[in-house]
Amino acid sequence: MDSDTALFEHYRSRLFGLAYRMLGTPADAEDVLHDVWLRLHAQDLAGLDDAEAWLVTVTTRLALDRLRRTKAEREHYPGPWLPEPLLPKDEQPDTTLERGESLTLSFLLLLERLSPEERAAFLLHDVFDYSHAEAAAILGIAEEACRQRVHRARSRLREGRPRFRVDEAAQRRLLQRFVAAMAEPSLDALQALFAEDAVHVSDGGGLARATLRPLHGAERLARLYRQLARHLSGAHVRYEVVRLNGAPALLFRENETLTTAMWIECDGDRITAVHALRHPGKLARLLTVTKSPFSASLH
């Protein structure tokens, strides 16, 4: 292995974690890392005072440029946009600090509330533990400007955070109750699953059937899923609980075709938010996920 490759591979997990949290899709993160590799290959390593700082700076700025473009593109996206999960084998954080909540799909979606500049500053400082001065140098801005971006980001994220923090066991129990209710789809049983102000968000990307705007209220969500259960009554349906981005999720397979990846937020007793990913392209990476040790079939 040559020195360029050895250096890149040493920091690759950290760089990918940063690019993925910036962009919300593994493919975009991989594209950024490919560009970083090309720039590194053209760089004289002897001229680098701090190789890690150089790699993080290039990764951040390339991801920031790409995020600005994708933000504009998402304004024309057909319906809500949801982040794309990682495969369990790709979940290899450098440290516990860089892990946890910051990689869950719900938190990645919450990051969409931020401007690209706020998102970059927040991730560098609060997730990857760079000082304000270090983050400012990476972003090429004044330290005070970096502090302001991080402060604004924290304020925006506090406004959108779930009201409750619930462990994985509670989420799994609710997903199992959801599967049981889908097997006997009465309106009362389904409605009992959801908080009164629950919200449902679905991403079909214009390529699969999905709600084009968020739905609100336990009754509306119960009616939606009762209708879906009836639609699926003639198909061979398999539900599987898997672990995606560090949290439980539910996969729907209809006649062995993966059609939905669903994750939830809850208060421990009821579901407060449902996110249903139905975009075929985003689901394609998950086709082999049930071969992982995180899977458990529910029938």
Side-chain angles (χ1 to χ4, degrees):
M1 186 182 294
D2 60 53
S3 57
D4 287 359
T5 303
L7 176 64
F8 183 78
E9 289 301 320
H10 181 72
Y11 292 110
R12 190 184 193 287
S13 177
R14 187 174 183 82
L15 301 177
F16 180 83
L18 174 59
Y20 176 64
R21 287 170 174 85
M22 282 287 292
L23 298 165
T25 64
D28 284 345
E30 290 289 1
D31 286 346
V32 166
L33 260 62
H34 178 69
D35 289 344
V36 173
W37 160 248
L38 291 177
R39 295 192 182 203
L40 177 64
H41 196 61
Q43 176 71 33
D44 178 11
L45 294 183
L48 297 179
D49 294 329
D50 186 334
E52 179 185 356
W54 186 90
L55 286 166
V56 171
T57 298
V58 174
T59 300
T60 302
R61 294 186 183 184
L62 288 174
L64 193 53
D65 288 343
R66 182 176 286 258
L67 182 58
R68 291 179 181 125
R69 295 196 301 271
T70 57
K71 279 279 192 181
E73 293 168 1
R74 287 173 195 169
E75 292 178 1
H76 306 287
Y77 194 81
W81 179 92
L82 293 176
E84 181 181 334
L86 292 170
L87 290 176
K89 69 180 182 63
D90 294 327
E91 297 183 24
Q92 299 175 351
D94 289 342
T95 67
T96 301
L97 176 66
E98 295 173 13
R99 190 59 174 164
E101 184 190 32
S102 73
L103 199 62
T104 65
L105 293 161
S106 292
F107 192 78
L108 290 177
L109 184 59
L110 191 59
L111 290 175
E112 290 294 304
R113 290 171 171 256
L114 307 180
S115 71
E117 294 76 18
E118 290 168 348
R119 187 166 180 163
F122 172 82
L123 288 173
L124 288 169
H125 184 268
D126 279 26
V127 176
F128 287 88
D129 203 31
Y130 289 100
S131 68
H132 285 112
E134 291 169 329
I138 290 169
L139 294 170
I141 60 176
E143 183 175 345
E144 182 57 30
C146 183
R147 287 180 182 276
Q148 291 174 359
R149 289 181 183 180
V150 173
H151 177 73
R152 287 197 301 267
R154 288 174 181 163
S155 298
R156 289 175 188 252
L157 293 178
R158 276 196 299 269
E159 293 170 1
R161 283 180 187 269
R163 291 167 296 169
F164 309 95
R165 296 180 65 87
V166 181
D167 63 19
E168 287 189 30
Q171 290 176 305
R172 284 181 177 271
R173 285 194 299 270
L174 276 167
L175 288 173
Q176 291 168 342
R177 284 176 55 195
F178 174 85
V179 171
M182 290 290 283
E184 300 285 343
S186 74
L187 193 62
D188 288 343
L190 285 165
Q191 189 166 339
L193 288 170
F194 301 109
E196 285 303 312
D197 59 350
V199 59
H200 173 277
V201 178
S202 183
D203 176 357
L207 302 173
R209 293 186 63 181
T211 53
L212 292 178
R213 58 185 60 85
L215 297 180
H216 297 268
E219 183 178 354
R220 294 188 73 186
L221 271 62
R223 292 186 183 279
L224 170 70
Y225 278 103
R226 183 178 64 172
Q227 181 181 359
L228 176 60
R230 289 174 174 174
H231 171 73
L232 297 175
S233 61
H236 174 67
V237 181
R238 185 155 54 102
Y239 300 94
E240 296 160 296
V241 174
V242 300
R243 198 165 184 264
L244 296 179
N245 289 47
L250 185 67
L251 302 186
F252 293 51
R253 291 183 186 270
E254 302 172 29
N255 298 321
E256 298 306 317
T257 299
L258 179 62
T259 60
T260 306
M262 184 181 100
W263 62 94
I264 63 172
E265 296 167 14
C266 64
D267 61 12
D269 297 316
R270 296 193 177 188
I271 296 170
T272 57
V274 177
H275 300 101
L277 184 62
R278 292 183 51 79
H279 189 303
K282 294 182 180 182
L283 293 174
R285 288 174 54 87
L286 301 179
L287 291 177
T288 61
V289 73
T290 54
K291 295 181 180 179
S292 80
F294 299 112
S295 303
S297 295
L298 296 174
H299 299 283

